[in-house]
């Protein structure tokens, strides 16, 4: 009963606290790593609290203890093993983020102050994407997130997203897909995206790029 309560309250897959539903395998892996790290953190926190309470409440004294090599060895080895337990899935996730399949689509996004330009070479299509002004919003539209031209791509297809900037630093970020790339002038950054489900996914520039930084959203629509 207690473990179920903690799962519903804390772990992201069940509780969804501050995390969006994953739309790509990478975001699913990130959420699993979040849960993995959270279990470790909660375990350490509970151990420290219990140990601290025991030290405060016990009436024994250890003023004559000069050294305890066995104890020092234990409290050095155990944290090292815990760090390895945390590092191994983290390294695996980093390698997954860098994977670039050779097949699939290519989507190039170029950041401007303050809108995005997109190119889909396979379809010989290029367009600009501006935020829909508040005065043009209709029922069901999201404030500061809707755009006049959405990027429409098929789901369950590898898509290599290449991003750059035409002026200052920007960042291409879609939280539900686990995407966050710096858009740097004169440089190309790329990440792979494999969308599991059809739908409309929203993101924003996550690098402060000027006065209208918060008015250049990203919208990707995944279709069959």
């Amino acid at each position: 009963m207690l473990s179920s309560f903690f799962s519903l309250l804390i772990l992201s897959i069940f509780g969804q606290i501050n995390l969006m539903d994953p739309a790509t395998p990478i975001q699913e892996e990130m959420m699993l790593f979040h849960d993995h790290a959270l279990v470790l953190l909660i375990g350490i926190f509970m151990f420290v609290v219990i140990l601290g309470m025991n030290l405060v409440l016990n009436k024994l004294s250890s003023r004559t203890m000069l050294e305890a090599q066995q104890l020092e060895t234990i409290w050095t080895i155990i944290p090292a093993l815990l760090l390895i337990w945390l590092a191994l899935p983290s390294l695996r996730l980093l390698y997954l983020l860098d994977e670039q399949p050779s097949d699939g689509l290519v989507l190039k996004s170029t950041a401007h102050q303050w809108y995005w330009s997109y190119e889909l070479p396979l379809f010989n299509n290029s367009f600009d994407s501006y935020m829909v002004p508040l005065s043009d919003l209709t029922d069901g539209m999201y404030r500061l997130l809707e755009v006049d031209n959405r990027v429409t791509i098929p789901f369950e297809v590898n898509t290599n997203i290449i991003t750059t900037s035409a002026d200052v630093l920007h960042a291409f970020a879609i939280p539900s897909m686990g995407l966050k790339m710096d858009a740097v002038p004169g440089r190309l950054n790329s990440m792979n995206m494999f969308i599991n489900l059809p739908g409309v996914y929203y993101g924003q520039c996550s690098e402060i790029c000027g006065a209208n930084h918060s008015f250049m959203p990203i919208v990707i629509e995944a279709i069959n």
Side-chain angles (χ1 to χ4, degrees):
M1 180 68 182
L2 187 61
S3 62
S4 299
F5 171 76
F6 276 108
S7 296
L8 290 172
L9 182 64
I10 296 173
L11 298 184
S12 63
I13 284 185
F14 301 101
Q16 290 291 293
I17 296 177
N18 292 330
L19 294 173
M20 304 177 69
D21 291 328
T24 62
I26 287 295
Q27 181 62 9
E28 291 175 359
E29 292 289 339
M30 287 183 179
M31 292 177 65
L32 288 172
F33 178 70
H34 167 274
D35 296 343
H36 178 85
L38 202 58
V39 168
L40 176 63
L41 294 176
I42 293 171
I44 294 174
F45 175 76
M46 293 179 66
F47 174 75
V48 171
V49 168
I50 293 171
L51 193 63
M53 294 298 295
N54 286 334
L55 290 173
V56 170
L57 297 177
N58 77 66
K59 298 180 180 180
L60 302 176
S61 173
S62 59
R63 288 182 299 170
T64 58
M65 181 181 291
L66 298 178
E67 63 179 25
Q69 294 182 357
Q70 185 177 6
L71 182 61
E72 290 177 0
T73 302
I74 292 173
W75 73 37
T76 301
I77 292 176
I78 291 179
L81 294 176
L82 292 177
L83 288 175
I84 293 173
W85 186 51
L86 185 64
L88 291 179
S90 175
L91 291 173
R92 174 179 176 273
L93 184 56
L94 286 174
Y95 277 101
L96 287 175
L97 284 170
D98 283 337
E99 282 189 350
Q100 296 287 348
S102 57
D103 59 340
L105 299 175
V106 174
L107 170 64
K108 182 180 178 182
S109 63
T110 304
H112 305 265
Q113 289 182 312
W114 288 272
Y115 65 96
W116 293 90
S117 296
Y118 298 101
E119 296 179 35
L120 284 163
L122 184 63
F123 303 116
N124 195 24
N125 186 19
S126 62
F127 57 92
D128 297 332
S129 180
Y130 291 86
M131 187 190 76
V132 175
L134 296 179
S135 57
D136 295 339
L137 292 178
T138 59
D139 291 341
M141 286 187 171
Y142 293 107
R143 175 179 174 271
L144 302 183
L145 287 177
E146 297 291 348
V147 296
D148 54 0
N149 289 313
R150 295 176 175 176
V151 178
T152 304
I153 57 176
F155 73 99
E156 294 186 340
V157 172
N158 283 312
T159 303
N160 185 23
I161 299 182
I162 302 172
T163 186
T164 187
S165 172
D167 35 55
V168 300
L169 288 177
H170 299 268
F172 188 92
I174 305 177
S176 60
M177 297 184 185
L179 281 176
K180 188 173 183 181
M181 285 186 293
D182 288 334
V184 183
R187 177 174 175 176
L188 297 177
N189 288 327
S190 65
M191 287 183 69
N192 184 63
M193 178 178 66
F194 184 89
I195 304 176
N196 290 328
L197 300 169
V200 180
Y201 303 97
Y202 296 89
Q204 289 177 301
C205 174
S206 59
E207 183 79 34
I208 297 177
C209 57
N212 290 335
H213 156 66
S214 57
F215 302 109
M216 49 182 302
I218 302 163
V219 181
I220 291 183
E221 183 174 0
I223 61 173
N224 190 349

